Amino acid sequence: QVQLVESGGGLVQPGGSLRLSCAVSGMIFSIHDMAWYRQAPGEQRELVAALTSTGSTNTADSVKGRFTIARDNAKNTVYLQMNSLKPEDTAVYYCNALIRHMDSRLFHYWGQGTQVTVSS
């Protein structure tokens, strides 16, 4: 059974930093794209940043220059470094991974979400 386990959320003051982690576990063949999404109360889930297996990135304009996505393939883990945090970054952050199973099937998986609150 594939699991995505997120960690690193919490309460931080405006201007502060947090690093989110998402580790993939279970029987898999490979991980393709990995991404972070977020959802604020009353809002739709939106893409924050994505990273392909070949290293291409896609970052939302609202976080460009402040957030950085990275992955450690040896650890099957994706990170989101968040700097210069603003109150409008407050949301539940979700990890997403496109995973190929041993039988070649491809599926998207989601983490359980981690709360990030930016407030003084």
Side-chain angles (χ1 to χ4, degrees):
Q1 184 176 356
V2 176
Q3 283 190 313
L4 274 61
V5 179
E6 298 149 353
S7 60
L11 173 64
V12 64
Q13 292 187 341
S17 298
L18 283 174
R19 189 177 82 153
L20 305 183
S21 300
C22 172
V24 178
S25 63
M27 289 291 292
I28 63 173
F29 181 75
S30 62
I31 303 173
H32 292 251
D33 302 348
M34 302 186 84
W36 288 96
Y37 288 75
R38 68 185 182 186
Q39 188 167 18
E43 302 289 333
Q44 289 190 333
R45 192 172 296 190
E46 63 175 359
L47 176 68
V48 177
L51 177 59
T52 70
S53 57
T54 58
S56 297
T57 60
N58 179 25
T59 306
D61 288 342
S62 59
V63 305
K64 205 163 285 186
R66 300 188 297 121
F67 291 12
T68 303
I69 188 171
R71 62 194 284 174
D72 184 335
N73 291 327
K75 295 182 179 180
N76 286 345
T77 299
V78 64
Y79 305 96
L80 185 67
Q81 178 66 43
M82 305 186 294
N83 299 328
S84 301
L85 281 159
K86 304 176 180 180
E88 51 264 43
D89 295 318
T90 296
V92 178
Y93 284 70
Y94 296 91
C95 172
N96 179 277
L98 179 60
I99 292 173
R100 186 176 296 279
H101 288 265
M102 297 293 190
D103 60 5
S104 297
R105 292 179 300 161
L106 273 172
F107 287 108
H108 277 281
Y109 289 90
W110 290 93
Q112 80 284 0
T114 185
Q115 177 70 46
V116 171
T117 302
V118 184
S119 175
S120 54

